[in-house]
Amino acid sequence: MALILVAAPLSLFAQNTYKAQVVAHRGYWNTEGSFQNTITALKKSAEINAYGCELDVNMTTDGVLVVCHGPKVGDVADVQDTTFARMQQVRFKNGDGVPTLDEFVKCAKELGHRLILEVKTHPAEKRVEVVTKVVELIKRYEMENLTEFIAFNYEICKELHKQMPGSMVQYLLGDKTPAEIYADGIMGIDYEYSTLSSHINWIQEAHDLGMVVNVWTVDPADRIEIMVKNGVDFITTNQPVLAQQIIGALNSKK
Ligand code: MG
């Protein structure tokens, strides 16, 4: 066995020290001609070969899932208090409109690009409806293996896990330990930079449980480097190209 290992090409053992991958927050929008949470931002995220494109999902009053952060979108005060027809009137400065989740997932499927899909917090009575519609759409496009879910609302995380067992769900709020989340079958934390910085041991705790660690929204170079060196799996950032360069440089330095 030892002889086989010695004879194997060195390249087989050339692994990156830092495994962090880059998630383009709201797509790659921080660049010419793009705008956050648009089809253009999705396409640009795929073009730079990000690990995945983060997106925000809201439901209109007439039950249509749309991709936008909200509550305010363009000249609409609250997307969740507005009809789909009204949302269709919104135009961003790059010429894009608000995509439906259907359009967004269809495009991601064509690109073969991964989605980090945030289900925004909705009133309790709408939670199951929103999650059911999201899950139905992901299954219809057979995007189960290219979709990961994130949510601030813990009940939404649990509902996603219930409706799509085995899918990657990451909790965003930062008020629970990895062990507490693991106990509910949720396999990832995606915490804000300052939260994770003040509980840096949660990275190892999560990894020991077989969970993944994502961190948002890390834009300054020094913070990206700190999180990469601390071994997070994913950096969610508005500076995805910079983050890729930093990770690449750290891995070539060793
Ligand atoms: Mg988001």
Side-chain angles (χ1 to χ4, degrees), residues 30-45:
N30 196 3
T31 183
E32 184 72 27
S34 193
F35 197 86
Q36 62 185 40
N37 277 314
T38 60
I39 295 291
T40 301
L42 167 64
K43 288 178 176 172
K44 287 185 180 289
S45 173

Side-chain angles (χ1 to χ4, degrees), residues 2-235:
L3 278 177
I4 294 167
L5 285 173
V6 169
L10 280 175
S11 59
L12 276 182
F13 303 104
Q15 289 186 339
N16 287 334
T17 305
Y18 303 109
K19 60 187 174 180
Q21 299 197 75
V22 175
V23 174
H25 183 237
R26 306 181 190 177
Y28 184 26
W29 60 269
N30 196 3
T31 183
E32 184 72 27
S34 193
F35 197 86
Q36 62 185 40
N37 277 314
T38 60
I39 295 291
T40 301
L42 167 64
K43 288 178 176 172
K44 287 185 180 289
S45 173
E47 272 169 28
I48 60 166
N49 205 22
Y51 170 79
C53 172
E54 194 262 0
L55 64 143
D56 301 298
V57 175
N58 281 283
M59 188 169 74
T60 62
T61 51
D62 43 352
V64 179
L65 298 176
V66 289
V67 178
C68 55
H69 187 276
K72 188 176 186 311
V73 183
D75 59 346
V76 168
D78 186 347
V79 51
Q80 291 185 17
D81 198 27
T82 303
T83 62
F84 175 56
R86 178 68 185 85
M87 292 307 297
Q88 284 181 297
Q89 294 170 7
V90 174
R91 284 286 140 199
F92 301 118
K93 60 187 177 191
N94 76 330
D96 280 21
V98 176
T100 61
L101 183 60
D102 194 306
E103 291 166 337
F104 209 90
V105 174
K106 182 171 186 282
C107 184
K109 174 79 179 180
E110 287 164 4
L111 294 166
H113 196 48
R114 185 176 297 273
L115 297 177
I116 315 300
L117 192 159
E118 180 180 349
V119 179
K120 282 292 178 194
T121 301
H122 287 73
E125 66 274 16
K126 291 195 173 175
R127 261 181 222 146
V128 174
E129 180 187 354
V130 173
V131 171
T132 302
K133 284 181 170 173
V134 168
V135 168
E136 184 276 324
L137 213 151
I138 295 303
K139 286 183 176 172
R140 179 150 47 85
Y141 282 104
E142 298 180 338
M143 278 286 283
E144 294 97 324
N145 294 332
L146 275 179
T147 306
E148 299 169 18
F149 301 101
I150 56 177
F152 279 97
N153 182 277
Y154 197 61
E155 296 306 312
I156 287 181
C157 287
K158 288 200 288 188
E159 187 64 27
L160 284 161
H161 173 64
K162 182 178 153 192
Q163 291 199 26
M164 207 186 272
S167 63
M168 172 52 67
V169 180
Q170 300 167 10
Y171 179 52
L172 289 165
L173 192 57
D175 61 341
K176 293 180 188 294
T177 65
E180 285 177 275
I181 294 167
Y182 179 81
D184 286 320
I186 292 159
M187 291 304 288
I189 55 170
D190 182 1
Y191 285 172
E192 201 265 332
Y193 174 82
S194 61
T195 303
L196 202 56
S197 298
S198 55
H199 298 91
I200 209 74
N201 58 310
W202 283 356
I203 298 173
Q204 190 61 49
E205 184 182 326
H207 286 162
D208 288 346
L209 290 164
M211 299 169 71
V212 303
V213 179
N214 193 342
V215 58
W216 57 272
T217 302
V218 194
D219 295 342
D222 57 339
R223 292 186 171 196
I224 292 169
E225 186 167 331
I226 288 167
M227 282 296 147
V228 170
K229 285 182 170 173
N230 273 293
V232 300
D233 303 285
F234 305 107
I235 301 271

